[in-house]
Amino acid sequence: MILIYLGCTAIAAFALALVLGLTGAAPAAVAHAAFAIGALPLIFAAMSHFVPVLTRSGGAEPGVHRLPLVLQAAGVVAVAVLAGWGPGWLLHGALVAGLGATGAFLAWAIRRGRASLGKPHPGLAWYLAALGCLGLALVAIFAGLLWPAGYGALRLVHLHLNTLGFIGLTAIGTLHVLMPTVLGKPDPQAAPRLRRQLPWALGGVASAALAGVLPWLSVPAVLIIGGVLVHTLWCWWRSWGAATLFGDGASASLFGAGLGLLAVVLAGGAHGLGWLPGRPAVGGFFMLFLLPLVSGALAQLLPVWRFPGPMSPARAAMRARLVRFGALRAVLFLAGGGLTMAGFEAALALPAAGVLMFGVALVVALAGGGAGRA
Ligand code: HEM
Ligand code: HEM
């Protein structure tokens, strides 16, 4: 139930971010509505689903399922403070709670890795790296709040470690496992590819995080992260082809998310070298990457969370409802995000329409699924 709740609140948080953005709230409040209330707890929920799969162990304990709720509460507090609705010291509380929950979750994932039946799948190392990035990002902004002279640089460390490190590494690690599941076709190259790519990806993320202090690091950051993405997208294209990838709403959306992240990384290189302003990349990351990623992943995962166990007609019906129009939604997110980044504010209506479409599909699917079960 908690997983389904977090899936639904992520979509609600994305809608909140779009509304806050349209009503002119502080940019940091808008960003944290999407990232800290929506994506952060949902990522923990997805990890609590995948860590047992990657380590061939039993389902996550109830206590682990509750940790995302702590993070979501921290996210709500962060948005309230950044929007100017609460005193600044509350941020410290949110950071302590966030760090505690991240540490507890990381310890659980490491324990599961040690207890794994055989060697854990290399996707687990991506999750540990992503959680490490989140912990460091929270420590960085905490240090920045306590040490005003370093605030500027530490804020850049915080935001790049969180977006490219925490969300980016989780996404790439998960997509290697999720894409073959979505398509129902095995990918024997996924595990070796993940093993080979991780040191590179970490180097790229570290370069981007430190590029705020040493701008030339933007060049290796773009080449390495961009290289990992191109390699992954190319391998999928070669293995399955366009007809398969775009033939299913979930895989079309996930492939679109990969392309979107590549575009945002290229834009990141441009702002890192001072050719573009950095701020539009936050909206770009949200619209070009996070929206197609989360809607595509939820279309695949929510039916499994709602109807666990072996495949059933009710699960297949719910999935069919959610993947319908998946390719169209991906086009709305990518086109709207691209145009908004290029300065056409009115194009925000396109991703807003995509979120609304997915929200309606979600309500219909959950209501219909309930009726099917009864
Ligand atoms: C609950 C945990 C979090 C807290 C308390 C927090 C706190 C902060 C603070 C204080 C700032 C500086 C705001 C400013 O200078 O105006 C900031 C910036 C930022 N943070 Fe976080 N953060 C958290 C989680 C996250 C997560 C999970 C992400 C993304 C995955 C994220 C992404 C960003 C971004 C993109 C910015 C720059 C926003 C902008 O100026 O447009 N943060 N954060
Ligand atoms: C490989 C990719 C990236 C590299 C190399 C990079 C590099 C940099 C560098 C060097 C700066 C400092 C520029 C300055 O202070 O003038 C910066 C600022 C910034 N970057 Fe990135 N970045 C990347 C990706 C991203 C992504 C994905 C986001 C989206 C969340 C992002 C959001 C920002 C923001 C909001 C700023 C600060 C703008 C400001 O408030 O002045 N960057 N980036």
Side-chain angles (χ1 to χ4, degrees):
M1 268 334 263
I2 290 183
L3 297 181
I4 294 170
Y5 159 82
L6 289 169
C8 295
T9 50
I11 299 304
F14 293 170
L16 172 70
L18 285 164
V19 171
L20 285 175
L22 286 169
T23 52
V30 178
H32 289 81
F35 299 150
I37 301 183
L40 171 67
L42 182 62
I43 286 180
F44 274 65
M47 283 187 181
S48 66
H49 169 91
F50 279 110
V51 167
V53 177
L54 298 172
T55 55
R56 297 169 211 89
S57 52
E61 298 79 0
V64 170
H65 278 309
R66 279 193 284 272
L67 288 174
L69 301 177
V70 177
L71 289 155
Q72 192 168 54
V76 170
V77 172
V79 170
V81 177
L82 294 171
W85 304 325
W89 57 262
L90 275 178
L91 268 185
H92 299 93
L95 284 165
V96 170
L99 274 168
T102 304
F105 197 87
L106 185 57
W108 170 75
I110 293 174
R111 255 198 329 271
R112 281 298 174 102
R114 292 214 179 111
S116 171
L117 262 181
K119 257 184 155 216
H121 188 281
L124 182 71
W126 283 72
Y127 285 176
L128 301 183
L131 290 165
C133 285
L134 172 64
L136 280 177
L138 295 180
V139 169
I141 198 73
F142 208 157
L145 292 173
L146 300 177
W147 180 46
Y151 184 75
L154 288 165
R155 172 174 166 273
L156 291 176
V157 171
H158 167 81
L159 76 91
H160 291 104
L161 274 183
N162 261 334
T163 50
L164 295 168
F166 173 56
I167 300 188
L169 293 181
T170 306
I172 300 173
T174 304
L175 284 177
H176 279 81
V177 181
L178 193 57
M179 201 60 142
T181 313
V182 165
L183 296 174
K185 296 172 194 292
D187 181 1
Q189 285 312 307
R193 202 164 56 228
L194 277 175
R195 208 169 281 128
R196 246 181 307 141
Q197 286 179 346
L198 182 58
W200 290 98
L202 273 175
V205 168
S207 306
L210 296 175
V213 187
L214 296 171
W216 61 266
L217 280 176
S218 298
V219 177
V222 173
L223 291 178
I224 299 173
I225 305 177
V228 167
L229 287 169
V230 169
H231 180 223
T232 305
L233 292 168
W234 170 243
C235 289
W236 287 341
W237 188 270
R238 213 185 36 200
S239 307
W240 296 311
T244 304
L245 284 168
F246 297 132
D248 175 84
S251 57
S253 218
L254 296 175
F255 194 82
L259 286 177
L261 181 58
L262 183 60
V264 179
V265 166
L266 293 176
H271 75 234
L273 295 172
W275 302 338
L276 286 179
R279 179 82 70 186
V282 181
F285 186 84
F286 173 53
M287 289 179 271
L288 293 173
F289 171 55
L290 208 54
L291 288 179
L293 175 78
V294 169
S295 56
L298 282 180
Q300 176 68 27
L301 291 173
L302 274 176
V304 181
W305 293 345
R306 175 74 179 82
F307 301 104
M311 188 59 180
S312 62
R315 189 203 286 180
M318 182 173 175
R319 185 186 189 280
R321 284 202 180 97
L322 291 179
V323 299
R324 225 170 135 218
F325 304 123
L328 172 63
R329 284 191 304 256
V331 170
L332 289 174
F333 295 145
L334 294 180
L339 287 169
T340 311
M341 270 182 91
F344 298 99
E345 292 273 318
L348 209 58
L350 300 179
V355 170
L356 192 65
M357 276 171 75
F358 191 69
V360 170
L362 205 58
V363 171
V364 172
L366 284 171
R373 201 184 216 188

